[in-house]
Amino acid sequence: MSTMRSHGCQTYGQYLIWISRAGQTGINEFVECMTTNTTEFFRESAHFDILRDLTGGRGPQQFNQDRLADKSEIRIWCAAASSGQEPYTILMSLLAELEIIRQFPEIKFLATDIDRSMLDHASRGIYSQSEVRSLPSEFQRKWFRPLASPSDENPRFLANAALRDSITFAPLNLFDTPYPFKHLFDVIFCRNVLIYFDRPTSQKVVAEMARHLRPGGFLFLGHSEAGVIRPDNMKAVANAVYRKDS
Ligand SMILES: C[S@@+](CC[C@H](N)C(=O)[O-])C[C@H]1O[C@@H](n2cnc3c(N)ncnc32)[C@H](O)[C@@H]1O
């Protein structure tokens, strides 16, 4: 409402007219108001242990047959990436595992969101003290550097260029099917966004994602979404993690 009023609009109809006149700026602002961008590093952290198991094949038997580390390249898509904490967590977890087992496939990493202001934040890779609080200290030390002196009251932390440059950040509205990808992904993360869609839309998005997964590839949903959405032709292999049939 405050956004509407700031443009002198008293009704939704007036606001709609303002958006259509303001063009892309109006649309961006509307999207920012309508979306919830809550996220954090290592959110629903069990998923990153599973990702490491998938990568190095060190987890349950079912993951050994298909070690990501054995591929010449790993393709990952993080949909609804918000301000970047999720894709950076995925990448740091993968790299940690690959360093331990000393195998280094090329990583092709796409992170998308509908909200361009979040993508800007993500690609800048700058986070506040409270945002980095959920990062284990070894990851913070290794991958982030403080931008100001230790006495600064509001220190901010910059993600290492090696992390930032490894991820392509791009806008994508999950409603816009079919998605324009040429290659299949090994892993797709789509967490904590489908809960905001109605069920037919969520099912459609998941079906479209399945189409862009290679056989044997993995889809990660949010923990609260797993009970509601049932991906077809995929087997649940862990909480909210699905493997596409080979
Ligand atoms: C609650 S955040 C979740 C972020 C992250 N996936 C996580 O689990 O921490 C939801 C994100 O979905 C994005 N989003 C909402 N609707 C979308 C749509 N139709 N297409 C793409 N992204 C969307 C929002 O901009 C927001 O960044």
Side-chain angles (χ1 to χ4, degrees), residues 15-40:
Y15 185 44
L16 203 58
I17 291 168
W18 178 84
I19 291 171
S20 62
R21 289 198 182 132
Q24 191 61 48
T25 314
I27 293 168
N28 291 350
E29 187 194 276
F30 177 67
V31 165
E32 282 169 36
C33 295
M34 293 301 290
T35 49
T36 304
N37 303 115
T38 307
T39 188
E40 63 176 2

Side-chain angles (χ1 to χ4, degrees), residues 36-39 43 80 82 86 113-114 172-174 191-192:
T36 304
N37 303 115
T38 307
T39 188
R43 182 179 193 182
S82 189
E86 185 177 42
D113 200 279
I114 193 175
L172 183 117
N173 182 349
L174 291 170
R191 305 190 312 162
N192 303 306

Side-chain angles (χ1 to χ4, degrees), residues 211-244:
R211 212 169 63 75
H212 290 281
L213 260 186
R214 68 162 169 78
F218 293 89
L219 173 67
F220 289 70
L221 300 181
H223 285 198
S224 60
E225 291 158 332
V228 187
I229 298 148
R230 304 219 170 282
D232 293 330
N233 305 321
M234 289 204 196
K235 187 165 159 252
V237 292
N239 189 5
V241 185
Y242 303 86
R243 182 176 191 274
K244 182 171 170 178

Side-chain angles (χ1 to χ4, degrees), residues 64-109:
N64 295 349
Q65 57 183 324
D66 217 12
R67 285 179 9 132
L68 293 173
D70 292 335
K71 303 185 173 303
S72 55
E73 67 176 29
I74 305 174
R75 286 185 178 272
I76 304 201
W77 174 26
C78 178
S82 189
S83 41
Q85 288 91 325
E86 185 177 42
Y88 288 131
T89 304
I90 296 168
L91 185 55
M92 288 187 290
S93 304
L94 264 179
L95 292 174
E97 184 64 25
L98 293 172
E99 270 168 27
I100 289 172
I101 60 172
R102 305 192 67 74
Q103 275 180 264
F104 300 100
E106 194 180 342
I107 297 174
K108 299 263 169 70
F109 199 137

